[in-house]
Amino acid sequence: MTLLDHVPAVRAEGEGDRGRAVVRALHALVRAEAAAEAQAAGTEAADLEQAVWLRLLERGAGTAVPADPVRWVRAAVRAEARTARRRTRRERPYAADGLPGDWAGCPERIAVGADERRALRAAVGRLPGRCPRLLEAMLAPHDPTYREIAGELGMSQGSLGPMRSRCLGCLRRMLAAEVVAPELRGKER
């Protein structure tokens, strides 16, 4: 006698117990059928098994127990295996140049980048002394060398490094002060 021999008796039980009894009765059969079909479908047995249980639950509360459970399980597992094979044929891996996390050409990323550059340029303009001219020269799109920047600003090439360091430190402090600190969560005392 197998667990499937008890399935007709499930119909007489209560609604809550019926679902548990069906799962107990069909569990071994669903697992065996899914394991048998998984290799040919190119998927994992657990995925097929889960799809079959979902299909059983979608049948509705009133018709939870199929008339012929063995035939229904075989048909359901094979149908899910066919679906998995079709999905495997249609799905393709991402191309190396279009990774899912790559936002380079995304309009949203372009807009966010433009806002960040505007905020940076505005902060650079508020720096004291010769810092705005120095950092604007370093942010130039044509990527000038230290020699070109020193010639443009009329200062020695050796003083650019220390001055750049002081200006960037000032810019960091200025931007850190502008970033709003996160609010306290929970109760304040």
Side-chain angles (χ1 to χ4, degrees):
M1 186 175 246
T2 66
L3 289 174
L4 292 177
D5 295 331
H6 299 288
V7 172
V10 170
R11 295 175 200 262
E13 295 177 12
E15 197 64 37
D17 294 333
R18 181 182 300 172
R20 283 189 217 99
V22 168
V23 169
R24 265 187 263 114
L26 298 178
H27 182 72
L29 180 62
V30 170
R31 179 161 283 176
E33 287 289 331
E37 291 286 334
Q39 184 69 30
T43 187
E44 293 185 23
D47 291 341
L48 279 179
E49 190 176 338
Q50 183 178 17
V52 170
W53 288 122
L54 182 63
R55 188 179 275 220
L56 180 67
L57 291 173
E58 286 174 344
R59 290 187 58 168
T63 59
V65 180
D68 185 3
V70 175
R71 180 174 285 164
W72 184 88
V73 167
R74 267 194 207 122
V77 169
R78 288 182 180 149
E80 292 299 333
R82 279 192 304 273
T83 303
R85 278 193 295 274
R86 275 190 233 113
R87 190 178 327 112
T88 303
R89 280 195 307 263
R90 280 193 313 263
E91 289 178 352
R92 297 286 176 250
Y94 283 112
D97 58 340
L99 296 175
D102 185 21
W103 283 29
C106 176
E108 181 181 0
R109 183 64 201 149
I110 292 169
V112 168
D115 284 344
E116 289 172 351
R117 285 188 297 279
R118 258 194 303 293
L120 178 65
R121 297 238 182 234
V124 165
R126 293 191 311 264
L127 287 172
R130 296 181 0 183
C131 289
R133 288 187 58 212
L134 173 67
L135 292 181
E136 283 295 334
M138 290 191 162
L139 290 172
H142 64 277
D143 197 26
T145 63
Y146 268 33
R147 177 177 284 175
E148 293 169 345
I149 293 172
E152 181 182 327
L153 297 177
M155 54 192 309
S156 71
Q157 187 175 342
S159 64
L160 281 181
M163 185 174 175
R164 174 187 148 270
S165 179
R166 283 191 305 274
C167 293
L168 288 177
C170 185
L171 182 64
R172 274 190 213 100
R173 286 189 300 277
M174 182 186 299
L175 291 176
E178 290 178 4
V179 174
V180 178
E183 294 182 16
L184 293 175
R185 295 183 182 201
K187 294 183 180 180
E188 293 182 33
R189 294 183 187 204

